[in-house]
Amino acid sequence: MPAITRIDQIPPSHTIFPASSHPDLQQPGVVHHGWNTGRQLLLHVVGSPLANPMTSWPHPLRQQAIMRLRALTEHLDDVAGPLTLALHVSAVQQPPADADTTTLTPLVGEALADLGDWGVRAPLPEQLDLITRAVQVMQPCMPH
């Protein structure tokens, strides 16, 4: 598995959660839909050609999320790992949109267990706030 070092290297859900290793996650379940939704959001944020048009979402919600994610940092690819952790937390653990860093820290640990093979490493302490803010932005866009 290639390491995720840029946003456009975040794979789609069927690659991250193959049926052989995650039989409890069946396509097209909420986790898969959430992962792909969040992935597309992040791809739009960095202007990736891999981003698909997202016409099924309310336009203002999508645009607001994209703008808020862009505002997190100037160098989004430098935090591809922490943003991938935020995506995992949002799609898999599905916390409330107002969850704080204390609540999300154990969920980040669970995400690391799934994403370690993808080169995603434990975030630096100062990156936990970035992960929290990213989850808070993505969560309202997640399917429920």
Side-chain angles (χ1 to χ4, degrees), residues 41 44 53-67 141:
L41 253 183
H44 278 274
M54 290 194 271
T55 55
S56 64
W57 283 3
H59 184 70
L61 178 64
R62 179 183 67 225
Q63 290 301 335
Q64 180 184 31
I66 290 169
M67 288 186 327
C141 299

Side-chain angles (χ1 to χ4, degrees), residues 12 92 100 127 131 135 143-144:
V92 177
D100 62 10
Q127 292 174 325
I131 292 169
V135 168
H144 299 286

Side-chain angles (χ1 to χ4, degrees), residues 18-70:
S20 59
S21 65
H22 292 81
D24 55 325
L25 300 179
Q26 298 177 9
Q27 290 251 36
V30 173
V31 169
H32 286 273
H33 187 79
W35 179 274
N36 291 329
T37 298
R39 176 179 175 263
Q40 283 298 315
L41 253 183
L42 292 172
L43 290 172
H44 278 274
V45 167
V46 298
S48 172
L50 299 174
N52 297 326
M54 290 194 271
T55 55
S56 64
W57 283 3
H59 184 70
L61 178 64
R62 179 183 67 225
Q63 290 301 335
Q64 180 184 31
I66 290 169
M67 288 186 327
R68 290 180 63 202
L69 286 166
R70 280 185 182 140

Side-chain angles (χ1 to χ4, degrees), residues 78-138:
D78 291 347
V79 291
L83 289 175
T84 304
L85 290 169
L87 171 57
H88 189 286
V89 168
S90 291
V92 177
Q93 286 95 352
Q94 303 170 12
D98 62 350
D100 62 10
T101 302
T102 303
T103 303
L104 295 178
T105 299
L107 303 180
V108 169
E110 292 176 31
L112 281 168
D114 276 348
L115 297 172
D117 289 344
W118 292 91
V120 176
R121 300 292 171 239
L124 300 170
E126 60 269 17
Q127 292 174 325
L128 289 174
D129 182 58
L130 173 90
I131 292 169
T132 300
R133 289 183 289 139
V135 168
Q136 291 168 345
V137 170
M138 285 192 277

